[in-house]
Amino acid sequence: MDNPIMEDRPNVNSGAYNSMKNTEPSGYQANPDDDQHSVGCCGYILLFISYLIIICTIPFSMFMCIKVVQEYERAVIFRLGRILPGGAKGPGLFFIVPCTDAYTKVDLRTVSFDVPPQEILSKDSVTVSVDAVVYYRISNATVSVTNVEDAARSTRLLAATTLRNVLGTKNLSEMLSERDNISHTMQMNLDEATDPWGVKVERVEIKDVRLPVQLQRAMAAEAEAAREARAKVIAAEGEQKASRALKEAADVISQSPAALQLRYLQTLNTISAEKNSTIVFPVPIELFRGMGTFGGGAASTSM
């Protein structure tokens, strides 16, 4: 015996039902028994009366029926609450029935807005204030009107939330050094989330990362200490190289007694070239040698 409940159930695997479901705009559930282009008997009566009024009031009715949209705009027309087949109209002239039609203009140009500064706690427990700028445009005028109440406002709110969520998983060093990667991640997340709204997010840029004043002072002191440490290391390396050079020079001078005399004369020439009141009395090196020999002989005699 056949089950009457199974007989009344529609075949959800049929091609007609699937094609009708796919043509329904996202955000709505398709109804296989509903014809989206049918306005009903009352609708046809209202349309007939509206066309009759338009014909009787020509040419004055043309001022109400003919509309114009710019090259960068599209018009989404609703007739008795239903979207007209064919999608958005424009650019140029289009015809509406004043009594039954209502239309909404949608701007397709790229729009930019600033994300307000967000107080974010980073992964390493540092509170920072970050702001950004977002560039987006309407990619599907019909979907942007039917699936979301205010596409611009929704995109702004979602951008602020996405900024907080993405930066909350980053360290402070990553926020300062990986801005391009963070911007790309935000752009992908926003584009994926706003696609059902007919919005295309083209670009996201991190504008500024503001640190607390105390943290700025701590980072400045740390950087200054690091610079002083590097300066001391460089000075110590210079002293080490200079001492090695002096040792090599002393070894060369000790091998040639005349080299010390030449160095002595060069020093005198350098001092005399400067205009100063220094008086230099040159003393022969041999005198000091003689005094050293005399002192050594006297010491041996006393013993």
Side-chain angles (χ1 to χ4, degrees), residues 97-124:
V97 180
C99 300
T100 60
D101 292 355
Y103 70 97
T104 302
K105 287 185 179 181
V106 180
D107 196 333
L108 302 183
R109 292 177 294 182
T110 299
V111 180
S112 63
F113 65 89
D114 293 328
V115 180
Q118 303 292 318
E119 294 290 338
I120 300 171
L121 183 64
S122 64
K123 191 176 181 180
D124 51 355

PDB file of all heavy atoms in Angstrom, residues 97-124:
ATOM      1  N   VAL A  97       6.553  52.707 -13.778  1.00  0.00           N
ATOM      2  CA  VAL A  97       5.127  53.003 -13.621  1.00  0.00           C
ATOM      3  C   VAL A  97       4.970  53.669 -12.259  1.00  0.00           C
ATOM      4  O   VAL A  97       5.183  53.025 -11.225  1.00  0.00           O
ATOM      5  CB  VAL A  97       4.274  51.729 -13.709  1.00  0.00           C
ATOM      6  CG1 VAL A  97       2.790  52.070 -13.546  1.00  0.00           C
ATOM      7  CG2 VAL A  97       4.517  51.021 -15.024  1.00  0.00           C
ATOM      8  N   PRO A  98       4.660  54.944 -12.206  1.00  0.00           N
ATOM      9  CA  PRO A  98       4.687  55.673 -10.926  1.00  0.00           C
ATOM     10  C   PRO A  98       3.809  55.068  -9.849  1.00  0.00           C
ATOM     11  O   PRO A  98       4.143  55.110  -8.670  1.00  0.00           O
ATOM     12  CB  PRO A  98       4.216  57.080 -11.313  1.00  0.00           C
ATOM     13  CG  PRO A  98       4.493  57.199 -12.777  1.00  0.00           C
ATOM     14  CD  PRO A  98       4.306  55.824 -13.329  1.00  0.00           C
ATOM     15  N   CYS A  99       2.669  54.515 -10.207  1.00  0.00           N
ATOM     16  CA  CYS A  99       1.737  54.036  -9.186  1.00  0.00           C
ATOM     17  C   CYS A  99       2.147  52.697  -8.585  1.00  0.00           C
ATOM     18  O   CYS A  99       1.749  52.381  -7.451  1.00  0.00           O
ATOM     19  CB  CYS A  99       0.330  53.912  -9.779  1.00  0.00           C
ATOM     20  SG  CYS A  99      -0.331  55.471 -10.424  1.00  0.00           S
ATOM     21  N   THR A 100       2.914  51.906  -9.302  1.00  0.00           N
ATOM     22  CA  THR A 100       3.224  50.551  -8.843  1.00  0.00           C
ATOM     23  C   THR A 100       4.714  50.291  -8.670  1.00  0.00           C
ATOM     24  O   THR A 100       5.078  49.293  -8.040  1.00  0.00           O
ATOM     25  CB  THR A 100       2.671  49.522  -9.848  1.00  0.00           C
ATOM     26  OG1 THR A 100       3.269  49.748 -11.132  1.00  0.00           O
ATOM     27  CG2 THR A 100       1.155  49.636  -9.945  1.00  0.00           C
ATOM     28  N   ASP A 101       5.563  51.144  -9.220  1.00  0.00           N
ATOM     29  CA  ASP A 101       6.997  50.889  -9.193  1.00  0.00           C
ATOM     30  C   ASP A 101       7.697  51.794  -8.186  1.00  0.00           C
ATOM     31  O   ASP A 101       7.314  52.953  -7.988  1.00  0.00           O
ATOM     32  CB  ASP A 101       7.622  51.117 -10.577  1.00  0.00           C
ATOM     33  CG  ASP A 101       7.171  50.078 -11.582  1.00  0.00           C
ATOM     34  OD1 ASP A 101       6.446  49.146 -11.160  1.00  0.00           O
ATOM     35  OD2 ASP A 101       7.518  50.202 -12.768  1.00  0.00           O
ATOM     36  N   ALA A 102       8.730  51.241  -7.578  1.00  0.00           N
ATOM     37  CA  ALA A 102       9.650  52.000  -6.727  1.00  0.00           C
ATOM     38  C   ALA A 102      11.059  51.559  -7.091  1.00  0.00           C
ATOM     39  O   ALA A 102      11.293  50.382  -7.403  1.00  0.00           O
ATOM     40  CB  ALA A 102       9.368  51.746  -5.249  1.00  0.00           C
ATOM     41  N   TYR A 103      11.985  52.492  -7.097  1.00  0.00           N
ATOM     42  CA  TYR A 103      13.335  52.142  -7.500  1.00  0.00           C
ATOM     43  C   TYR A 103      14.344  52.733  -6.510  1.00  0.00           C
ATOM     44  O   TYR A 103      14.076  53.711  -5.808  1.00  0.00           O
ATOM     45  CB  TYR A 103      13.642  52.631  -8.922  1.00  0.00           C
ATOM     46  CG  TYR A 103      13.780  54.131  -9.061  1.00  0.00           C
ATOM     47  CD1 TYR A 103      15.039  54.737  -9.049  1.00  0.00           C
ATOM     48  CD2 TYR A 103      12.653  54.942  -9.220  1.00  0.00           C
ATOM     49  CE1 TYR A 103      15.166  56.113  -9.179  1.00  0.00           C
ATOM     50  CE2 TYR A 103      12.778  56.302  -9.356  1.00  0.00           C
ATOM     51  CZ  TYR A 103      14.040  56.887  -9.332  1.00  0.00           C
ATOM     52  OH  TYR A 103      14.165  58.233  -9.454  1.00  0.00           O
ATOM     53  N   THR A 104      15.514  52.088  -6.473  1.00  0.00           N
ATOM     54  CA  THR A 104      16.611  52.514  -5.596  1.00  0.00           C
ATOM     55  C   THR A 104      17.872  52.644  -6.433  1.00  0.00           C
ATOM     56  O   THR A 104      18.234  51.708  -7.165  1.00  0.00           O
ATOM     57  CB  THR A 104      16.845  51.497  -4.470  1.00  0.00           C
ATOM     58  OG1 THR A 104      15.647  51.345  -3.713  1.00  0.00           O
ATOM     59  CG2 THR A 104      17.972  51.952  -3.553  1.00  0.00           C
ATOM     60  N   LYS A 105      18.541  53.782  -6.327  1.00  0.00           N
ATOM     61  CA  LYS A 105      19.795  53.996  -7.042  1.00  0.00           C
ATOM     62  C   LYS A 105      20.959  53.453  -6.229  1.00  0.00           C
ATOM     63  O   LYS A 105      21.016  53.640  -5.008  1.00  0.00           O
ATOM     64  CB  LYS A 105      20.016  55.484  -7.330  1.00  0.00           C
ATOM     65  CG  LYS A 105      19.121  56.056  -8.405  1.00  0.00           C
ATOM     66  CD  LYS A 105      19.495  57.495  -8.704  1.00  0.00           C
ATOM     67  CE  LYS A 105      18.620  58.082  -9.807  1.00  0.00           C
ATOM     68  NZ  LYS A 105      18.998  59.480 -10.120  1.00  0.00           N
ATOM     69  N   VAL A 106      21.878  52.791  -6.911  1.00  0.00           N
ATOM     70  CA  VAL A 106      23.060  52.214  -6.274  1.00  0.00           C
ATOM     71  C   VAL A 106      24.293  52.750  -6.980  1.00  0.00           C
ATOM     72  O   VAL A 106      24.390  52.689  -8.218  1.00  0.00           O
ATOM     73  CB  VAL A 106      23.033  50.671  -6.338  1.00  0.00           C
ATOM     74  CG1 VAL A 106      24.282  50.095  -5.679  1.00  0.00           C
ATOM     75  CG2 VAL A 106      21.784  50.128  -5.675  1.00  0.00           C
ATOM     76  N   ASP A 107      25.221  53.290  -6.211  1.00  0.00           N
ATOM     77  CA  ASP A 107      26.459  53.841  -6.756  1.00  0.00           C
ATOM     78  C   ASP A 107      27.499  52.727  -6.849  1.00  0.00           C
ATOM     79  O   ASP A 107      27.782  52.038  -5.858  1.00  0.00           O
ATOM     80  CB  ASP A 107      26.971  54.965  -5.847  1.00  0.00           C
ATOM     81  CG  ASP A 107      28.028  55.824  -6.541  1.00  0.00           C
ATOM     82  OD1 ASP A 107      28.717  55.304  -7.439  1.00  0.00           O
ATOM     83  OD2 ASP A 107      28.152  57.011  -6.181  1.00  0.00           O
ATOM     84  N   LEU A 108      28.072  52.536  -8.044  1.00  0.00           N
ATOM     85  CA  LEU A 108      29.046  51.469  -8.271  1.00  0.00           C
ATOM     86  C   LEU A 108      30.491  51.927  -8.126  1.00  0.00           C
ATOM     87  O   LEU A 108      31.407  51.131  -8.313  1.00  0.00           O
ATOM     88  CB  LEU A 108      28.854  50.875  -9.672  1.00  0.00           C
ATOM     89  CG  LEU A 108      27.476  50.297  -9.984  1.00  0.00           C
ATOM     90  CD1 LEU A 108      27.484  49.695 -11.376  1.00  0.00           C
ATOM     91  CD2 LEU A 108      27.065  49.269  -8.947  1.00  0.00           C
ATOM     92  N   ARG A 109      30.725  53.189  -7.792  1.00  0.00           N
ATOM     93  CA  ARG A 109      32.093  53.676  -7.659  1.00  0.00           C
ATOM     94  C   ARG A 109      32.746  53.157  -6.378  1.00  0.00           C
ATOM     95  O   ARG A 109      32.062  52.789  -5.420  1.00  0.00           O
ATOM     96  CB  ARG A 109      32.113  55.202  -7.674  1.00  0.00           C
ATOM     97  CG  ARG A 109      31.726  55.807  -8.998  1.00  0.00           C
ATOM     98  CD  ARG A 109      31.683  57.330  -8.923  1.00  0.00           C
ATOM     99  NE  ARG A 109      30.617  57.797  -8.052  1.00  0.00           N
ATOM    100  CZ  ARG A 109      30.337  59.075  -7.842  1.00  0.00           C
ATOM    101  NH1 ARG A 109      31.063  60.009  -8.453  1.00  0.00           N
ATOM    102  NH2 ARG A 109      29.341  59.420  -7.045  1.00  0.00           N
ATOM    103  N   THR A 110      34.074  53.146  -6.388  1.00  0.00           N
ATOM    104  CA  THR A 110      34.821  52.709  -5.206  1.00  0.00           C
ATOM    105  C   THR A 110      34.673  53.738  -4.095  1.00  0.00           C
ATOM    106  O   THR A 110      34.840  54.936  -4.318  1.00  0.00           O
ATOM    107  CB  THR A 110      36.304  52.512  -5.553  1.00  0.00           C
ATOM    108  OG1 THR A 110      36.427  51.493  -6.557  1.00  0.00           O
ATOM    109  CG2 THR A 110      37.092  52.087  -4.326  1.00  0.00           C
ATOM    110  N   VAL A 111      34.366  53.244  -2.912  1.00  0.00           N
ATOM    111  CA  VAL A 111      34.155  54.088  -1.740  1.00  0.00           C
ATOM    112  C   VAL A 111      35.225  53.757  -0.709  1.00  0.00           C
ATOM    113  O   VAL A 111      35.561  52.585  -0.513  1.00  0.00           O
ATOM    114  CB  VAL A 111      32.743  53.880  -1.151  1.00  0.00           C
ATOM    115  CG1 VAL A 111      32.526  54.775   0.073  1.00  0.00           C
ATOM    116  CG2 VAL A 111      31.683  54.138  -2.201  1.00  0.00           C
ATOM    117  N   SER A 112      35.753  54.778  -0.066  1.00  0.00           N
ATOM    118  CA  SER A 112      36.743  54.585   0.999  1.00  0.00           C
ATOM    119  C   SER A 112      36.209  55.174   2.292  1.00  0.00           C
ATOM    120  O   SER A 112      35.485  56.176   2.277  1.00  0.00           O
ATOM    121  CB  SER A 112      38.071  55.254   0.630  1.00  0.00           C
ATOM    122  OG  SER A 112      37.910  56.661   0.508  1.00  0.00           O
ATOM    123  N   PHE A 113      36.571  54.550   3.389  1.00  0.00           N
ATOM    124  CA  PHE A 113      36.194  55.057   4.705  1.00  0.00           C
ATOM    125  C   PHE A 113      37.266  54.674   5.716  1.00  0.00           C
ATOM    126  O   PHE A 113      38.000  53.700   5.538  1.00  0.00           O
ATOM    127  CB  PHE A 113      34.822  54.512   5.143  1.00  0.00           C
ATOM    128  CG  PHE A 113      34.785  53.029   5.358  1.00  0.00           C
ATOM    129  CD1 PHE A 113      35.088  52.467   6.593  1.00  0.00           C
ATOM    130  CD2 PHE A 113      34.436  52.179   4.315  1.00  0.00           C
ATOM    131  CE1 PHE A 113      35.055  51.100   6.785  1.00  0.00           C
ATOM    132  CE2 PHE A 113      34.390  50.813   4.502  1.00  0.00           C
ATOM    133  CZ  PHE A 113      34.711  50.272   5.735  1.00  0.00           C
ATOM    134  N   ASP A 114      37.349  55.478   6.760  1.00  0.00           N
ATOM    135  CA  ASP A 114      38.307  55.247   7.831  1.00  0.00           C
ATOM    136  C   ASP A 114      37.666  54.395   8.916  1.00  0.00           C
ATOM    137  O   ASP A 114      36.554  54.685   9.374  1.00  0.00           O
ATOM    138  CB  ASP A 114      38.785  56.569   8.441  1.00  0.00           C
ATOM    139  CG  ASP A 114      39.612  57.383   7.456  1.00  0.00           C
ATOM    140  OD1 ASP A 114      40.307  56.752   6.632  1.00  0.00           O
ATOM    141  OD2 ASP A 114      39.560  58.622   7.491  1.00  0.00           O
ATOM    142  N   VAL A 115      38.371  53.352   9.314  1.00  0.00           N
ATOM    143  CA  VAL A 115      37.937  52.564  10.460  1.00  0.00           C
ATOM    144  C   VAL A 115      38.329  53.317  11.730  1.00  0.00           C
ATOM    145  O   VAL A 115      39.490  53.694  11.888  1.00  0.00           O
ATOM    146  CB  VAL A 115      38.581  51.169  10.446  1.00  0.00           C
ATOM    147  CG1 VAL A 115      38.133  50.353  11.651  1.00  0.00           C
ATOM    148  CG2 VAL A 115      38.242  50.442   9.152  1.00  0.00           C
ATOM    149  N   PRO A 116      37.403  53.590  12.623  1.00  0.00           N
ATOM    150  CA  PRO A 116      37.752  54.334  13.845  1.00  0.00           C
ATOM    151  C   PRO A 116      38.846  53.622  14.632  1.00  0.00           C
ATOM    152  O   PRO A 116      38.967  52.392  14.574  1.00  0.00           O
ATOM    153  CB  PRO A 116      36.431  54.383  14.624  1.00  0.00           C
ATOM    154  CG  PRO A 116      35.375  54.149  13.602  1.00  0.00           C
ATOM    155  CD  PRO A 116      35.972  53.251  12.575  1.00  0.00           C
ATOM    156  N   PRO A 117      39.684  54.364  15.359  1.00  0.00           N
ATOM    157  CA  PRO A 117      40.746  53.717  16.165  1.00  0.00           C
ATOM    158  C   PRO A 117      40.159  52.696  17.131  1.00  0.00           C
ATOM    159  O   PRO A 117      39.208  52.984  17.860  1.00  0.00           O
ATOM    160  CB  PRO A 117      41.392  54.900  16.893  1.00  0.00           C
ATOM    161  CG  PRO A 117      41.090  56.085  16.042  1.00  0.00           C
ATOM    162  CD  PRO A 117      39.744  55.832  15.439  1.00  0.00           C
ATOM    163  N   GLN A 118      40.750  51.513  17.121  1.00  0.00           N
ATOM    164  CA  GLN A 118      40.279  50.418  17.944  1.00  0.00           C
ATOM    165  C   GLN A 118      41.314  50.107  19.027  1.00  0.00           C
ATOM    166  O   GLN A 118      42.500  49.950  18.723  1.00  0.00           O
ATOM    167  CB  GLN A 118      40.038  49.162  17.095  1.00  0.00           C
ATOM    168  CG  GLN A 118      39.073  49.356  15.944  1.00  0.00           C
ATOM    169  CD  GLN A 118      37.663  49.605  16.398  1.00  0.00           C
ATOM    170  OE1 GLN A 118      37.169  48.961  17.316  1.00  0.00           O
ATOM    171  NE2 GLN A 118      36.992  50.564  15.767  1.00  0.00           N
ATOM    172  N   GLU A 119      40.860  50.041  20.285  1.00  0.00           N
ATOM    173  CA  GLU A 119      41.729  49.636  21.382  1.00  0.00           C
ATOM    174  C   GLU A 119      41.827  48.114  21.380  1.00  0.00           C
ATOM    175  O   GLU A 119      40.837  47.420  21.621  1.00  0.00           O
ATOM    176  CB  GLU A 119      41.174  50.124  22.718  1.00  0.00           C
ATOM    177  CG  GLU A 119      41.172  51.640  22.861  1.00  0.00           C
ATOM    178  CD  GLU A 119      42.582  52.214  23.007  1.00  0.00           C
ATOM    179  OE1 GLU A 119      43.482  51.446  23.409  1.00  0.00           O
ATOM    180  OE2 GLU A 119      42.770  53.404  22.713  1.00  0.00           O
ATOM    181  N   ILE A 120      43.017  47.602  21.087  1.00  0.00           N
ATOM    182  CA  ILE A 120      43.215  46.167  20.876  1.00  0.00           C
ATOM    183  C   ILE A 120      44.247  45.653  21.868  1.00  0.00           C
ATOM    184  O   ILE A 120      45.289  46.286  22.083  1.00  0.00           O
ATOM    185  CB  ILE A 120      43.664  45.880  19.433  1.00  0.00           C
ATOM    186  CG1 ILE A 120      42.600  46.369  18.443  1.00  0.00           C
ATOM    187  CG2 ILE A 120      43.937  44.397  19.222  1.00  0.00           C
ATOM    188  CD1 ILE A 120      43.051  46.332  17.008  1.00  0.00           C
ATOM    189  N   LEU A 121      43.960  44.506  22.465  1.00  0.00           N
ATOM    190  CA  LEU A 121      44.909  43.818  23.334  1.00  0.00           C
ATOM    191  C   LEU A 121      45.630  42.768  22.500  1.00  0.00           C
ATOM    192  O   LEU A 121      45.011  41.820  22.014  1.00  0.00           O
ATOM    193  CB  LEU A 121      44.193  43.168  24.511  1.00  0.00           C
ATOM    194  CG  LEU A 121      45.087  42.463  25.544  1.00  0.00           C
ATOM    195  CD1 LEU A 121      46.009  43.472  26.229  1.00  0.00           C
ATOM    196  CD2 LEU A 121      44.249  41.730  26.577  1.00  0.00           C
ATOM    197  N   SER A 122      46.923  42.966  22.303  1.00  0.00           N
ATOM    198  CA  SER A 122      47.695  42.067  21.444  1.00  0.00           C
ATOM    199  C   SER A 122      47.908  40.717  22.126  1.00  0.00           C
ATOM    200  O   SER A 122      47.544  40.507  23.291  1.00  0.00           O
ATOM    201  CB  SER A 122      49.040  42.701  21.094  1.00  0.00           C
ATOM    202  OG  SER A 122      49.823  42.875  22.254  1.00  0.00           O
ATOM    203  N   LYS A 123      48.516  39.810  21.395  1.00  0.00           N
ATOM    204  CA  LYS A 123      48.753  38.461  21.911  1.00  0.00           C
ATOM    205  C   LYS A 123      49.713  38.461  23.091  1.00  0.00           C
ATOM    206  O   LYS A 123      49.614  37.597  23.971  1.00  0.00           O
ATOM    207  CB  LYS A 123      49.288  37.577  20.780  1.00  0.00           C
ATOM    208  CG  LYS A 123      49.333  36.102  21.115  1.00  0.00           C
ATOM    209  CD  LYS A 123      49.785  35.301  19.909  1.00  0.00           C
ATOM    210  CE  LYS A 123      49.812  33.805  20.229  1.00  0.00           C
ATOM    211  NZ  LYS A 123      50.246  33.013  19.048  1.00  0.00           N
ATOM    212  N   ASP A 124      50.646  39.421  23.123  1.00  0.00           N
ATOM    213  CA  ASP A 124      51.593  39.522  24.238  1.00  0.00           C
ATOM    214  C   ASP A 124      51.135  40.536  25.288  1.00  0.00           C
ATOM    215  O   ASP A 124      51.954  41.122  25.994  1.00  0.00           O
ATOM    216  CB  ASP A 124      52.985  39.882  23.724  1.00  0.00           C
ATOM    217  CG  ASP A 124      52.948  41.089  22.805  1.00  0.00           C
ATOM    218  OD1 ASP A 124      51.849  41.584  22.496  1.00  0.00           O
ATOM    219  OD2 ASP A 124      54.025  41.549  22.389  1.00  0.00           O
TER     220      ASP A 124
END
